[in-house]
Amino acid sequence: MSSVTSPNPPGALRKGPGIASALRPTSMRWILRFFGSSIGKKYVMAVTGLLLVGFLVAHLAGNLLLYADESGGKFKAYAEGLHDLGPLLWAAELGLIGLFGLHVFYALQTLRDNRAARQSRYAVSASRGAKTLASATMPITGAIVLLFVIVHLVHFRLDDAFKGDDPAGLVKSTLASPLAAAIYLVGVGALTLHLSHAIQSALQTLGASHPNFNPVREKLGLGLAVLLGLGFASFPVYALIAWGGGNS
Amino acid sequence: MSAASPTAVQGAASPTGAAGTKQGLKLVLKVWRQGARGAPGQFETHELQNVSTDMSFLEMLDVLNEGLIREGKDPVAFEHDCREGICGSCGFVINGQAHGPQKETTVCQLHMRSFRSGETLVIEPFRATAFPILKDLVVDRSAFDRIVAAGGYVSVNTGSAPDANAILIPKDNAERAFDAAACIGCGACVAACPNGSAMLFVGAKVSHLAALPQGQSERDHRALDMVAAMDKEGFGDCSNHLECVASCPKGIAGTNIAQLNREFAKASLRSGSR
Ligand code: SF4
Ligand code: FES
């Protein structure tokens, strides 16, 4: 029985132009299509976001050396170790800027898309309890973190004294001012709220979603966000209590 | 914005009603009225007396409309068909919640016993750029049809019906497919999403057919083309609030969105070498 053979070549059954049919052999158009699509944008945000979380873990681990000794010698050794990397450090920093830039760029794109997709508001707005303070304020907390990072870089990375004899001293004298401590607490607070949604959300976007482990994924994301938040917040708090007045 | 003068409509004080001597509900309805696509709209206030708690929400609107027609006024337009919660025609927003307050329930299956006497109910159409309002509570959801036409099907040769069970499907796959196939295409997910995203709907369609042997040959094209159609219609990007899941009358799970993402990424990678 040959009646099952279709007179049409395979694929001809598909109706409509379909983007896929526009692909040429060995074409790389999929890259453009992927990164221009709604899902591709979310992938970029998720991957860059998770890599930045990885950086935060390393950053916090390094900062904790501030507590290692009174003199700040361990922290200084760590800072010098980083500077000694030379071009490698530059490459790493360029990478970080790239990740951050991509994350912000795609955040602005999705923000624009989402605003356009939902122009009119409901007269009564009522959540069904799924959206959270963190998920609803992602663009705001993200913007606060962006501003905070700029201030933070000016304070330390761009201050030549940081490459000098006493980087720990610069940290102490900077954070000991109540205004600076307040800025750091706000920045870290916004970061923590951002991450409390972001980490588990990024994993869901990357496809890590199953009824068996979704509750664990959500708790792990929240737990890591809180740990990072407490860790980073400890510096301005400690600065106010232990270092406050002395150096300011 | 001049709200039309409030009308008081006598509800279905059915003498044979099961409510018996029980007094029905007194409700204040604020209903969105809009003459046509793009026309300005406003809320119109109506009072209903003695509404039977046994009525569905749509039956309550029928009562309102009968009263409006008797008064020579324009009845409130809303969509409905099966009134059994299976067709996906009905749907609007009650007090900020798509399909109203009851979990996993369409407005046609939502009963007035879910409300208290004296309540004010604000009734609005689904609001999303991709779902333009046509009249009152009726929105144009043909964007969903175009997404499905882009790939939400399997191609089969027509002819005599194939043998049942000619293709064996493992029970787990059948159940996963059926869970996703429960989507009735009502659009509440889009209405509830702060981003106006359709990813729960598209995720349900893609996951449904990806779980079945019949869906395999067109699997990659389906994911690519349906996502392209979704983006073209102007739906937003998912940011995992998952208000869609909480609002879905059929309990479609958020895992379908993650699967959509995986299917799209895999299909994109594979399409590059073609
Ligand atoms: S996923 Fe749920 S809310 Fe969305 S269209 Fe399907 S049934 Fe309706
Ligand atoms: S009218 Fe068919 S689902 Fe409500």
Side-chain angles (χ1 to χ4, degrees):
Chain A
M1 293 253 293
S2 61
S3 62
V4 290
T5 314
S6 161
N8 299 320
L13 289 167
R14 292 178 47 251
K15 313 265 173 1
I19 286 194
S21 59
L23 284 173
R24 281 182 226 102
T26 69
S27 153
M28 294 300 268
R29 286 174 75 162
W30 74 272
I31 293 185
L32 287 181
R33 185 188 53 208
F34 182 79
F35 290 106
S37 72
S38 54
I39 293 179
K41 288 177 201 159
K42 302 306 300 186
Y43 264 95
V44 174
M45 293 199 61
V47 170
T48 54
L50 287 179
L51 289 172
L52 287 168
V53 169
F55 162 72
L56 286 177
V57 172
H59 187 22
L60 178 60
N63 285 6
L64 287 174
L65 289 173
L66 282 167
Y67 296 135
D69 54 0
E70 249 328 285
S71 67
K74 293 239 167 64
F75 187 71
K76 179 164 181 250
Y78 164 65
E80 280 170 352
L82 282 180
H83 287 301
D84 288 347
L85 290 174
L88 271 183
L89 181 67
W90 278 99
E93 284 179 330
L94 272 180
L96 279 175
I97 292 172
L99 289 178
F100 207 79
L102 275 176
H103 195 75
V104 172
F105 177 75
Y106 278 96
L108 291 174
Q109 292 230 324
T110 49
L111 190 63
R112 184 202 58 196
D113 292 352
N114 292 345
R115 286 267 161 87
R118 195 44 162 354
Q119 279 157 335
S120 72
R121 304 257 147 243
Y122 291 111
V124 180
S125 69
S127 151
R128 287 191 105 102
K131 97 181 158 191
T132 60
L133 175 67
S135 75
T137 55
M138 290 299 275
I140 301 165
T141 50
I144 296 174
V145 169
L146 173 61
L147 290 177
F148 169 70
V149 165
I150 293 170
V151 172
H152 182 52
L153 288 177
V154 169
H155 271 162
F156 297 113
R157 182 66 186 89
L158 302 178
D159 189 328
D160 278 338
F162 204 50
K163 295 185 195 113
D165 284 339
D166 190 13
L170 180 66
V171 174
K172 293 176 187 177
S173 61
T174 306
L175 293 185
S177 123
L179 177 66
I183 292 175
Y184 277 75
L185 284 177
V186 170
V188 170
L191 176 70
T192 309
L193 198 57
H194 198 76
L195 294 184
S196 70
H197 174 71
I199 299 174
Q200 65 85 18
S201 171
L203 292 172
Q204 152 87 12
T205 294
L206 293 180
S209 180
H210 191 280
N212 288 354
F213 64 71
N214 280 353
V216 179
R217 186 196 74 211
E218 282 158 25
K219 289 198 182 71
L220 280 180
L222 182 63
L224 181 54
V226 169
L227 273 183
L228 284 169
L230 287 177
F232 283 118
S234 75
F235 302 107
V237 170
Y238 192 79
L240 276 181
I241 296 168
W243 305 322
N247 292 310
S248 56
Chain B
M1 174 186 130
S2 68
S5 60
T7 32
V9 181
Q10 197 65 21
S14 153
T16 56
T21 55
K22 218 175 82 191
Q23 188 70 13
L25 306 179
K26 181 172 180 289
L27 295 173
V28 178
L29 306 180
K30 291 195 164 164
V31 192
W32 183 259
R33 302 306 304 264
Q34 182 171 332
R37 184 174 174 155
Q42 72 281 318
F43 284 99
E44 194 176 89
T45 306
H46 297 282
E47 273 175 36
L48 279 187
Q49 308 286 342
N50 210 11
V51 174
S52 161
T53 50
D54 295 333
M55 284 196 286
S56 76
F57 205 91
L58 297 191
E59 285 166 335
M60 184 275 291
L61 288 183
D62 290 339
V63 170
L64 169 70
N65 278 345
E66 280 164 15
L68 289 174
I69 291 168
R70 269 199 302 274
E71 292 171 21
K73 292 182 180 154
D74 193 21
V76 177
F78 62 89
E79 268 195 275
H80 61 101
D81 187 12
C82 70
R83 298 210 177 192
E84 295 185 322
I86 55 168
C87 75
S89 298
C90 66
F92 42 75
V93 170
I94 306 167
N95 287 348
Q97 296 185 314
H99 284 299
Q102 191 161 310
K103 209 168 172 273
E104 292 188 21
T105 307
T106 55
V107 278
C108 62
Q109 287 290 296
L110 173 68
H111 285 83
M112 297 314 294
R113 53 181 167 270
S114 301
F115 301 95
R116 287 186 316 277
S117 200
E119 259 190 276
T120 297
L121 304 180
V122 180
I123 307 170
E124 302 177 69
F126 287 169
R127 293 190 191 277
T129 308
F131 286 170
I133 298 169
L134 297 178
K135 184 169 166 46
D136 300 341
L137 305 177
V138 178
V139 298
D140 179 358
R141 287 170 292 181
S142 57
F144 270 14
D145 301 336
R146 289 186 290 275
I147 295 174
V148 169
Y153 53 80
V154 291
S155 300
V156 289
N157 290 324
T158 52
S160 57
D163 268 356
N165 299 329
I167 302 172
L168 297 178
I169 300 170
K171 184 165 184 295
D172 283 353
N173 292 13
E175 288 197 342
R176 260 190 298 128
F178 194 79
D179 281 349
C183 166
I184 54 176
C186 64
C189 42
V190 174
C193 176
N195 308 334
S197 167
M199 289 197 189
L200 189 64
F201 167 76
V202 179
K205 301 301 162 207
V206 166
S207 304
H208 162 207
L209 295 174
L212 296 173
Q214 293 93 331
Q216 297 314 308
S217 53
E218 289 157 309
R219 187 169 177 167
D220 284 359
H221 285 306
R222 177 177 307 115
L224 296 174
D225 293 346
M226 288 185 83
V227 169
M230 169 180 87
D231 289 351
K232 199 169 138 229
E233 295 293 342
F235 292 102
D237 305 342
C238 176
S239 55
N240 300 320
H241 296 290
L242 299 187
E243 281 290 314
C244 53
V245 173
S247 304
C248 174
K250 294 292 137 184
I252 299 297
T255 48
N256 290 294
I257 298 178
Q259 175 158 13
L260 172 67
N261 294 353
R262 291 197 300 271
E263 296 285 332
F264 180 73
K266 279 190 283 184
S268 294
L269 286 171
R270 285 198 282 251
S271 74
S273 59
R274 254 203 306 268

